[in-house]
Amino acid sequence: MDTSAAQGQVHEQIRVRLAAVMGADAAELGRIAEEAALRLHESGQEPDFEVRSADFATDPFFVCADRYWRRRFAGSPSSDTALACARWIAVHTAAGCRSTVREQWTLGNGFINRSHLETREQLDEAARHIAGTPEAADLALTALLYHAGKLRANFAFDDLNALLTTSALATTAGSHRDDPVILALRSFAAFGSRALTTEHARELLDRAWTSPHPSRHVVDVCLNGLAFSVPFDGQGELLRTLAQEAVDTYPDHHMFRFRLATAHHLCADHEQALTHVDAALAMLARHGAFSRELLLEQYLVKRDAIQEARLRAAREAEHEARWRRQDAANADLERAMHRSSVRAVELVAVFTSAIAFAVGSLQVTLSGTLKLRERLWMLTALGAWLTVFALLIVGGTWLITRGRSRR
């Protein structure tokens, strides 16, 4: 049997086996797809079937192709592999899922191979290699997204912005530079960069977010940029609004639930943040994502941060309540002392008037030759003046202290 016939037989066996697990549970489907991908990779053959969806849960052909290209990228994490992947996508994927498959494989494998970064010269050489070919724009887009995925995973914001705006790959990509995924990546770079403004980042975000039918990856990159942005006023509220929209659209997606938890954490709504991060952890356990361990660590770190912030907020609330009680007690004591001092002044005025009246009345009574009627008039006048004096003291004290009492 010649080589081509043997290869054809291998591909036919793989197609039959993958078709047999259509509708199987995710674990069985993934196991068979992984075995088929390994067989293809070890034999040096690319998958020879059409991918009609980007569904990890139900499409064994997509899962097999995904595992195959993951091995190819791991073995040679370069733009050459990205270009080979782009050519395969152009031939072996249905038009309806082509963009989604490209975004999944470029950004995902970029994240996995983030430690292998090519130089600007190597990327420019790749752009020159494909320039002038009919499929140059699509090939450049795939290579551009793959390297952008690496820079995004490394949070190299300024390098990412330069790649997407001034590189030869970006120029060769042509009109694809206005694709929602490119706009989302540019907003991610702008939010994280200290050389670009928040207004510019938000403009790019709005263009990507409001594009017709933004893909899941576009939504993910937009939320990712907001979550890791240089802090700005309204960041938490904006992230909360958009993350809630994403959760409403993709209710079973653990990453969007995690972004919503991050948003509530930024808004100091710790109870809601804890609820959503726990939901994200539960979803992650059910879905069994490829990078589960990395995501699990990230989610647990965020959960610890939320718990710490929650406890700190509770302690601060307790301290604030204690200070308020102490302030109220101090105010009550101040008012009591104030009232006591006012009463003391009034009492002194009254006693002073009484003593003065007593001394004056004795002098009038025990001395002099005045008649009784005259002495009575003098005592009455003295008492009246002393009463007026006491009233003036009490009234003046009340007027002086009235404003302070109100405060």
Side-chain angles (χ1 to χ4, degrees), residues 14 31-45 63-65 67-69 71:
I14 288 175
R31 184 182 66 81
I32 298 299
E34 183 71 44
E35 292 176 357
L38 177 60
R39 185 178 179 185
L40 287 169
H41 186 258
E42 290 180 342
S43 65
Q45 302 176 66
V63 177
C64 176
R67 299 296 187 268
Y68 169 82
W69 283 107
R71 291 179 178 277

Side-chain angles (χ1 to χ4, degrees), residues 133 173 232 266 284 363:
T133 61
F232 63 91
L266 288 173
L284 180 63
Q363 290 178 348

Side-chain angles (χ1 to χ4, degrees), residues 175-232:
S175 61
H176 285 305
R177 286 178 295 180
D178 291 326
D179 284 3
V181 67
I182 296 295
L183 295 175
L185 286 165
R186 288 180 60 194
S187 77
F188 174 90
F191 273 122
S193 172
R194 296 185 180 275
L196 301 172
T197 65
T198 301
E199 291 73 17
H200 176 62
R202 293 190 65 168
E203 179 188 355
L204 292 168
L205 173 70
D206 290 340
R207 290 173 61 190
W209 193 269
T210 59
S211 61
H213 310 294
S215 69
R216 178 176 60 83
H217 298 93
V218 170
V219 173
D220 181 38
V221 173
C222 287
L223 297 180
N224 192 196
L226 266 178
F228 286 93
S229 171
V230 174
F232 63 91

